[in-house]
Amino acid sequence: MQTATPARRKATRPRADALRNRERIVTAAREMFVEFGPDVPLDEIARRAGVGNATVYRNFPDRDALVREVVCAVIDRTVQAAERALAETGDAFTALERIAHAAADERISALCPMVSSTFDRHHPDLEAARLRFERLVGEVMDRAKAAGQVRPDVGVGDLMLGVAQLSRPPAGTACMSADRFVHRHLQLYLDGLRAPAPSTLPGTAVTLEDLRRP
């Protein structure tokens, strides 16, 4: 008598509505973290996302998981914007501009500081997103310098520090009122990175290691 072989179960994929709910939660969380900081009640995030509290906790068991997902998502979208620019134009400086403006749209400079204040910044997901971002920015900066598009006395740290300072909104709901100035001032800053340089900068080119050094 032969024993029936148990049928192999197929791995279930998340339903489309479940994926949409997760995206709505992440979008709402990003908006509210920018407006109110990382301590905004999760119930309020659920309300803005248009889902129930249970849906939030089913997707994100704690606040750390949600903040981490938000930060990884905005880093990934910024990377994708630069990759599209390179694919479409092949121009390194255009890709640098796309990185800066995409980072401002994502409010990455307001979100990333939350990492160190809420949980372990060395979580594997965050490390992978950060390394992917830094590797791409470094490669694009090197290509722009090799093409004579970027002045030689600046580094990746200069770019990232300038983007952070110009695009970080003040805390509170009024932060959105500054949006109409951000891209204008970012472009002024980016134009200052172009070669040939009209002046000599004090100090030395800033690296990412310089930014991490206390």
Side-chain angles (χ1 to χ4, degrees):
M1 180 175 179
Q2 291 184 335
T3 303
T5 302
R8 183 175 297 175
R9 297 180 61 186
K10 293 182 179 179
T12 57
R13 294 182 179 179
R15 296 181 319 191
D17 58 340
L19 291 174
R20 283 194 296 270
N21 282 341
R22 186 179 179 90
E23 291 173 358
R24 288 163 68 183
I25 293 166
V26 172
T27 298
R30 183 184 71 86
E31 294 171 354
M32 298 194 78
F33 287 156
V34 170
E35 293 177 21
F36 304 109
D39 297 325
V40 61
L42 297 185
D43 291 352
E44 293 298 322
I45 293 174
R47 186 173 294 111
R48 179 172 292 197
V51 301
N53 295 359
T55 302
V56 173
Y57 289 105
R58 186 163 55 248
N59 282 274
F60 304 101
D62 54 39
R63 182 181 301 275
D64 290 358
L66 180 54
V67 174
R68 184 166 56 246
E69 179 81 4
V70 169
V71 173
C72 286
V74 300
I75 291 175
D76 286 344
R77 284 195 294 269
T78 305
V79 168
Q80 290 164 10
E83 290 174 337
R84 284 195 300 271
L86 283 174
E88 292 167 1
T89 69
D91 184 82
F93 197 87
T94 298
L96 281 181
E97 291 177 319
R98 197 75 61 87
I99 289 169
H101 290 291
D105 284 336
E106 293 288 350
R107 293 183 172 69
I108 198 171
S109 59
L111 293 169
C112 286
M114 296 180 189
V115 172
S116 59
S117 64
T118 55
F119 56 86
D120 182 11
R121 71 182 69 184
H122 300 298
H123 187 281
D125 291 346
L126 285 169
E127 283 284 292
R130 179 182 63 80
L131 289 174
R132 187 164 57 253
F133 178 71
E134 291 180 357
R135 189 179 302 114
L136 176 67
V137 177
E139 290 174 358
V140 172
M141 177 72 84
D142 288 344
R143 287 177 57 174
K145 283 187 176 182
Q149 296 174 305
V150 170
R151 54 191 297 165
D153 57 349
V154 297
V156 174
D158 290 299
L159 172 68
M160 301 314 302
L161 191 59
V163 171
Q165 291 178 336
L166 290 169
S167 65
R168 179 174 297 168
T173 55
C175 67
M176 305 305 175
S177 64
D179 277 3
R180 62 189 185 277
F181 306 122
V182 168
H183 291 289
R184 173 184 175 85
H185 293 158
L186 268 180
Q187 193 59 50
L188 283 170
Y189 173 73
L190 290 165
D191 286 347
L193 298 181
R194 287 187 179 275
S199 61
T200 301
L201 294 176
T204 58
V206 179
T207 66
L208 291 173
E209 288 70 27
D210 292 331
L211 296 183
R212 297 192 187 100
R213 194 174 298 132

